[in-house]
Amino acid sequence: MCGIIGIASNKSVSSNIIQSLKKLEYRGYDSAGIATIVNGNIDEKKCSGRVDNLEKILFKNPTKGVSGIGHVRWATHGIPNTLNAHPHSSEEVSVVHNGIIENSNQLKQDLEKKGYKFKSQTDTEVITFLLTDFLKNLDLVDAINKTLDKLHGSFALGILFKKHKDIVAGARRGSPLAVGYGPKENYLGSDSYALKSMTNKITYLDDGDICLLTNNRIEFYNSKNKKINKEILTLSNDKHTAEKGDYKDFMSKEINEQNITVKTCIKEYIDQIRKGINIYNFPINPKEIQKIILIGCGTAFHSCLTAKYWLEELTSISTEIDIASEFRYRKIKFNKKYLYIFVSQSGETADTFAALDLCKKNNVKTCSIVNVVESSIARNSDFVLPIHAGPEIGVASTKAFIGQMLVLYILAIKLSEVRGEISKSDYEKNIFDLKKLPDLIKETLDQQDKIQIIAKDFLNAKGAMFLGRGLSFPIALEGALKLKELSYLHAEGYPAGEMKHGPLALIEEGLPVVILAPKDRYFEKTISNMQEVIARGGKVILITNENNKIISENVRFTFEIPAANNNLAPFLMTIPLQLLAYHVASLKNCDIDKPRNLAKSVTVE
Ligand code: M6R
């Protein structure tokens, strides 16, 4: 998704803006641009494609301005080309924008009547001309506020002014925006990650806030043009670096470090001395929680689904799951005895944030499970459980998915203990087994060569299916999502028991079907479903922890995961599915870390 950088300095800013834009590349984008003020005029440079292209343009034609804004764009209004790339400038101002202006068509018509000539197909240009118009009679803050009043939708803005060469302004409603404090310059960023290499002192703008930055001053204003004070936060140090190291891409690094991220997370939550789980201060007395509602999008939603099985198995709390983009628009019956849990790697997903906001407005208690602890979702929840996975850069979520499941599983065990619903010995046994998970993951990762061979079978397939029951069902959904997202191959994840109700019609000679069948209470039933697939010509890849030659007959490949506590099977089955998607995509020469059309942080709905 789009990303914003702004720097107010007393020396040329273009190369730092480029470096910071590179930090935002992980979000997924299709064009890039920069603007500075040079000799009293706005100097705008932009291009389609990667930040590298922009860097080449700047290499040939450097820009010397001491304050500037930069942007990576993920197209919403208008195709990804140079003209639609941000910034969008008039004679007076230059604007970069994240988000969507829902009433841009109407505003455009009004501005055209006033004589403004639009160059792009974007919704952003209306902001440029509205500001230009208000600046004729108003000061900066008033003109920004009057412009914001006209806009419907969600946005974060970075603004430069021809007549104020040392000022960078920012404003937000709905989309996140952070301000960073440097020793001799100050920064604006759509997330703190992009600012981390320059500063660890950050302030987050709230909806309706405006900021004005110079190299040695930062001022904040509210929607009534009044100066306000804001808290300065110190960002946490990441224990894991966001560098690729010797890996070909971030995704392979992130898959291969999962034994370590899981170990780190377990250490954070398991008290080594008391051998208990370190989760206290629940926002509702755990004994009084009547229901848990888990909400997320995409992969995060799949982790919510695994948690439903664990919570139902380990506690008496009834559990519902919801997709954030659906939850936010339904007529929900909120209840103060329910705990609403939001799961999000980035903590910035627009739909998940809106669902959280709705809960807050209805005065119910919220908990978030996030990777980015400084994120909007974390900052706005009553209770935060970090997954401690370190920065995840690959657009396809891997270690964060495992981390989300891990924290949800730990939470389920903790709730069963504090509610008195598990015996002491079972509680301790679950923790004892959980501590083996990093080694079990390592053992599974060590077999990755086998997956490379299996991946070849998917190359000429016209689609693939992933089937599982119980805890394996969400993993089937996740396996299918990973394959679609990375290799652009159509894939369906299904509960194996649903096959006869329609999807069995899809099975034909040679169709790859991944069957997830750990030796749990569903095992025999899943194996029967597998036989039905084989009988119709499906090419089965069986993932199991049951070593049984008879069962493996007529199966194209069997991938054995280590035997473990049944509750840990979802973690172990996920690994071969991540690797499968990775290798199919590699064989098809797809862009592994930045799949087409997708973004890491989905900050528009
Ligand atoms: O940052 P979030 O966890 O809230 O993101 C939610 C989804 O956009 C994300 O999981 C998406 O489905 C991934 N690209 C899947 O790999």
Side-chain angles (χ1 to χ4, degrees):
M1 293 275 124
C2 304
I4 290 177
I5 287 293
I7 304 182
S9 182
N10 53 8
K11 57 177 199 281
S12 170
V13 287
S14 62
S15 81
N16 276 351
I17 289 183
I18 292 290
Q19 293 320 311
S20 306
L21 287 179
K22 284 187 176 171
K23 291 251 157 33
L24 289 173
E25 284 189 301
Y26 77 95
R27 295 163 73 105
Y29 70 103
D30 43 55
S31 53
I34 181 173
T36 57
I37 309 288
V38 179
N39 299 330
N41 287 311
I42 294 167
D43 185 16
E44 179 194 280
K45 299 207 161 54
K46 43 198 203 179
C47 62
S48 60
R50 301 286 180 212
V51 176
D52 282 348
N53 301 349
L54 186 64
E55 198 171 19
K56 282 180 198 145
I57 294 174
L58 285 165
F59 187 70
K60 281 191 193 148
N61 281 306
T63 183
K64 290 197 233 66
V66 295
S67 293
I69 48 177
H71 192 258
V72 282
R73 172 178 188 249
W74 185 83
T76 58
H77 291 58
I79 57 167
N81 62 11
T82 304
L83 212 57
N84 289 329
H86 298 209
H88 290 282
S89 309
S90 67
E91 267 299 301
E92 296 298 320
V93 299
S94 185
V95 175
V96 290
H97 163 218
N98 286 1
I100 290 183
I101 306 304
E102 286 165 357
N103 57 339
S104 62
N105 285 344
Q106 184 55 49
L107 292 170
K108 191 172 176 179
Q109 282 174 21
D110 298 345
L111 286 158
E112 277 173 337
K113 280 186 201 141
K114 286 187 161 187
Y116 289 100
K117 301 252 177 303
F118 284 78
K119 289 177 280 195
S120 76
Q121 300 159 308
T122 66
D123 50 346
T124 305
E125 229 180 334
V126 299
I127 307 172
T128 305
F129 291 134
L130 280 171
L131 253 175
T132 307
D133 212 51
F134 283 122
L135 278 168
K136 285 178 186 162
N137 304 311
L138 303 173
D139 67 23
L140 296 191
V141 174
D142 205 6
I144 297 173
N145 264 326
K146 288 278 180 325
T147 301
L148 303 193
D149 284 348
K150 293 262 179 199
L151 306 176
H152 298 172
S154 68
F155 48 81
L157 306 176
I159 311 164
L160 273 191
F161 306 89
K162 173 180 162 168
K163 295 195 180 117
H164 306 271
K165 70 171 174 38
D166 51 348
I167 293 183
V168 172
R172 75 156 271 182
R173 194 198 297 154
S175 302
L177 198 60
V179 165
Y181 301 74
K184 290 188 180 142
E185 51 186 26
N186 292 310
Y187 314 101
L188 196 63
S190 44
D191 67 32
S192 53
Y193 174 66
L195 303 183
K196 258 187 174 171
S197 61
M198 302 185 282
T199 180
N200 67 344
K201 298 273 179 259
I202 296 281
T203 290
Y204 291 99
L205 264 64
D206 289 312
D207 278 347
D209 288 351
I210 291 173
C211 61
L212 297 186
L213 278 57
T214 63
N215 68 321
N216 56 11
R217 204 180 64 240
I218 298 180
E219 290 172 355
F220 296 99
Y221 296 85
N222 66 13
S223 55
K224 307 271 179 284
N225 302 340
K226 289 261 166 337
K227 250 193 191 177
I228 50 171
N229 293 322
K230 309 262 322 165
E231 193 187 350
I232 303 177
L233 307 169
T234 304
L235 293 178
S236 57
N237 279 329
D238 284 315
K239 294 184 193 89
H240 314 264
T241 63
E243 305 302 328
K244 264 199 299 235
D246 291 336
Y247 289 97
K248 237 170 104 191
D249 34 60
F250 280 105
M251 188 179 173
S252 57
K253 174 183 181 249
E254 287 157 5
I255 292 176
N256 279 289
E257 70 189 12
Q258 291 178 110
N259 54 321
I260 299 164
T261 55
V262 162
K263 199 174 191 164
T264 309
C265 185
I266 291 175
K267 268 200 185 143
E268 293 284 343
Y269 284 102
I270 308 293
D271 182 326
Q272 300 303 320
I273 298 164
R274 291 195 313 109
K275 302 198 173 9
I277 294 172
N278 280 328
I279 302 180
Y280 306 103
N281 303 323
F282 282 92
I284 312 181
N285 177 349
K287 291 188 179 144
E288 286 169 11
I289 299 174
Q290 280 178 6
K291 192 183 262 191
I292 286 182
I293 322 272
L294 293 142
I295 300 155
C297 299
T299 288
F301 173 73
H302 296 157
S303 69
C304 294
L305 186 49
T306 55
K308 179 176 165 70
Y309 286 89
W310 284 319
L311 283 162
E312 286 177 354
E313 187 75 26
L314 292 165
T315 76
S316 64
I317 309 173
S318 80
T319 309
E320 279 178 22
I321 49 165
D322 228 311
I323 290 178
S325 55
E326 292 296 316
F327 180 92
R328 65 182 288 192
Y329 292 115
R330 290 215 314 275
K331 280 197 175 169
I332 305 286
K333 311 289 173 287
F334 288 97
N335 188 320
K336 290 202 163 57
K337 296 271 175 178
Y338 297 177
L339 178 62
Y340 297 79
I341 301 183
F342 296 84
V343 182
S344 173
Q345 186 286 130
S346 61
E348 300 295 352
T349 300
D351 283 320
T352 312
F353 183 77
L356 168 71
D357 199 42
L358 188 64
C359 287
K360 283 184 68 182
K361 287 186 176 127
N362 283 278
N363 295 318
V364 290
K365 293 295 181 203
T366 57
C367 164
S368 64
I369 294 180
V370 293
N371 197 22
V372 184
V373 285
E374 300 92 4
S375 61
S376 307
I377 290 175
R379 282 181 287 117
N380 285 280
S381 341
D382 296 309
F383 191 51
V384 184
L385 297 172
I387 64 168
H388 301 288
E392 188 181 67
I393 309 294
V395 165
S397 191
T398 51
K399 62 175 180 173
F401 176 61
I402 293 275
Q404 289 160 356
M405 288 199 297
L406 181 57
V407 173
L408 286 162
Y409 179 48
I410 292 173
L411 178 65
I413 303 175
K414 178 72 183 181
L415 284 170
S416 69
E417 185 233 1
V418 286
R419 290 166 62 93
E421 293 172 340
I422 192 171
S423 67
K424 190 166 183 287
S425 60
D426 281 352
Y427 176 66
E428 284 174 358
K429 170 88 171 59
N430 277 327
I431 294 176
F432 177 80
D433 288 347
L434 183 62
K435 286 197 201 155
K436 295 187 216 151
L437 185 58
D439 288 341
L440 295 169
I441 290 179
K442 179 77 178 69
E443 218 179 296
T444 313
L445 283 167
D446 285 346
Q447 300 183 65
Q448 52 190 291
D449 289 354
K450 292 184 193 155
I451 300 287
Q452 234 166 320
I453 302 166
I454 298 172
K456 291 193 183 125
D457 266 27
F458 287 70
L459 272 190
N460 298 316
K462 64 177 187 198
M465 292 203 80
F466 292 75
L467 306 177
R469 286 172 179 251
L471 273 166
S472 305
F473 163 46
I475 307 305
L477 293 180
E478 177 60 8
L481 178 65
K482 280 296 86 96
L483 190 65
K484 294 186 243 220
E485 176 176 34
L486 283 160
S487 72
Y488 319 143
L489 186 68
H490 181 79
E492 294 260 15
Y494 251 93
E498 268 289 294
M499 285 299 280
K500 291 194 194 72
H501 303 286
L504 202 55
L506 292 171
I507 306 294
E508 56 182 26
E509 200 60 41
L511 185 87
V513 182
V514 179
I515 305 277
L516 304 173
K519 191 83 173 88
D520 56 13
R521 67 166 176 265
Y522 305 94
F523 180 71
E524 275 80 22
K525 304 237 171 270
T526 310
I527 295 301
S528 302
N529 296 133
M530 179 182 87
Q531 298 305 348
E532 290 156 6
V533 168
I534 293 173
R536 285 157 185 83
K539 212 192 263 179
V540 166
I541 295 99
L542 173 64
I543 299 182
T544 182
N545 48 17
E546 171 73 347
N547 182 347
N548 183 327
K549 289 224 161 47
I550 302 171
I551 285 172
S552 291
E553 249 171 45
N554 300 322
V555 165
R556 171 103 174 137
F557 285 109
T558 301
F559 184 92
E560 248 184 79
I561 54 167
N565 178 327
N566 282 342
N567 284 328
L568 301 183
F571 299 93
L572 304 176
M573 287 187 299
T574 299
I575 309 281
L577 301 190
Q578 294 170 340
L579 289 163
L580 179 65
Y582 177 87
H583 287 299
V584 177
S586 284
L587 289 169
K588 292 178 86 180
N589 282 323
C590 299
D591 188 342
I592 301 278
D593 285 338
K594 300 186 196 82
R596 71 182 181 205
N597 306 336
L598 299 180
K600 183 69 187 161
S601 201
V602 183
T603 48
V604 290
E605 73 168 300

